[in-house]
Amino acid sequence: MSDGIHPIASLLAAVARGITGVQVQWAGCEPDLRQRIYFANHTSHLDFVVLWSALPSEIRAHTRPIAAKDYWEDTPLRHYLAENVFKAVLVERGAMSKTKFHDEAKFVGRSLIEDMAAALGDRNSLILFPEGTRGTGEKVGEFRGGLYHLAVRRPDVELVPAYMENMNRILPKGEFLPVPMLSLLTFGKPIQVVPHETKEVFLERARDAVSSLRRIGPA
């Protein structure tokens, strides 16, 4: 990832904050330049843009979203923004489910984890949505295994849960134009994989860490 910051990055961040009226709460940690994986609930295509824009500029400059390749390569503008402004790591949605054989699925999964670990490098952070697909906003869906495997692969990187309120109403599924509305983004206390913890136990704990943040913000 180049150290150069695209000249329109700050403008896009300001526009995203303006449209969503996002209020940011650091409830369990403070902004920090250390390497982190910010993992959050997912209800809108705007999610990573808003979370990215809510970070202080010096942190944002080294934070890369994990995003759906089919959506962000769908038009030349989206592709340009993903590659040059957000410096997103584009992955295929449901890549493992499209594979025919178990061994092939395992290979694809390992490849995705290695791609994300490489994107972290020695100074970057990532934005990840462990549900893998957008939910309704009513509850946080089941987490897929990528967060666990990446955490095991890079135990030196801090895992920070985040919860985003109202994003499903600002840009509902199937809509293209956002509706200006207030939203709330809450960052929680960092977690990590503990020794001998199974994938299933960790993923449920990580999901609970995100879900619990909904009760911290104002009604």
Side-chain angles (χ1 to χ4, degrees):
M1 173 179 171
S2 169
D3 286 342
I5 301 174
H6 197 283
I8 70 169
S10 295
L11 175 61
L12 279 178
V15 169
R17 292 194 300 268
I19 291 174
T20 60
V22 64
Q23 302 174 47
V24 182
Q25 291 187 140
W26 293 88
C29 63
E30 296 295 329
D32 201 298
L33 285 169
R34 74 182 65 187
Q35 285 189 281
R36 286 171 163 172
I37 297 169
Y38 301 96
F39 64 99
N41 59 313
H42 189 26
T43 61
S44 166
H45 281 307
L46 281 178
D47 287 344
F48 93 60
V49 180
V50 173
L51 199 159
W52 173 86
S53 72
L55 297 170
S57 59
E58 65 273 18
I59 297 175
R60 192 191 318 136
H62 295 286
T63 302
R64 306 183 64 181
I66 306 296
K69 185 175 183 179
D70 61 324
Y71 179 81
W72 287 96
E73 287 190 343
D74 187 48
T75 68
L77 176 59
R78 287 181 197 164
H79 185 225
Y80 178 85
L81 293 174
E83 183 173 331
N84 297 285
V85 179
F86 304 124
K87 295 182 172 63
V89 182
L90 299 180
V91 300
E92 290 191 23
R93 281 190 282 196
M96 284 193 288
S97 64
K98 294 177 184 177
T99 57
K100 188 175 181 180
F101 301 106
H102 177 68
D103 288 346
E104 184 182 354
K106 289 176 64 177
F107 174 80
V108 172
R110 285 195 299 267
S111 178
L112 289 174
I113 298 304
E114 289 304 314
D115 286 347
M116 289 189 281
L120 279 166
D122 59 5
R123 67 183 306 187
N124 295 328
S125 294
L126 295 178
I127 296 170
L128 178 65
F129 300 99
E131 292 167 280
T133 188
R134 286 170 292 159
T136 63
E138 296 177 2
K139 66 176 183 177
V140 180
E142 298 295 324
F143 279 9
R144 299 184 182 182
L147 178 64
Y148 170 81
H149 292 296
L150 185 57
V152 170
R153 175 70 174 76
R154 288 296 303 268
D156 56 307
V157 177
E158 201 168 64
L159 309 175
V160 176
Y163 189 87
M164 309 182 73
E165 295 263 9
N166 256 2
M167 293 307 303
N168 57 308
R169 297 172 64 190
I170 292 171
L171 187 65
K173 192 170 184 177
E175 298 295 328
F176 297 96
L177 295 176
V179 178
M181 188 179 295
L182 294 180
S183 61
L184 177 67
L185 168 59
T186 305
F187 293 96
K189 184 178 179 180
I191 67 170
Q192 64 184 113
V193 178
V194 300
H196 311 298
E197 187 173 28
T198 66
K199 179 179 70 174
E200 292 74 20
V201 169
F202 169 79
L203 291 177
E204 190 60 31
R205 186 162 61 86
R207 180 171 173 254
D208 288 344
V210 171
S211 299
S212 67
L213 296 175
R214 185 173 187 171
R215 296 190 290 272
I216 293 176

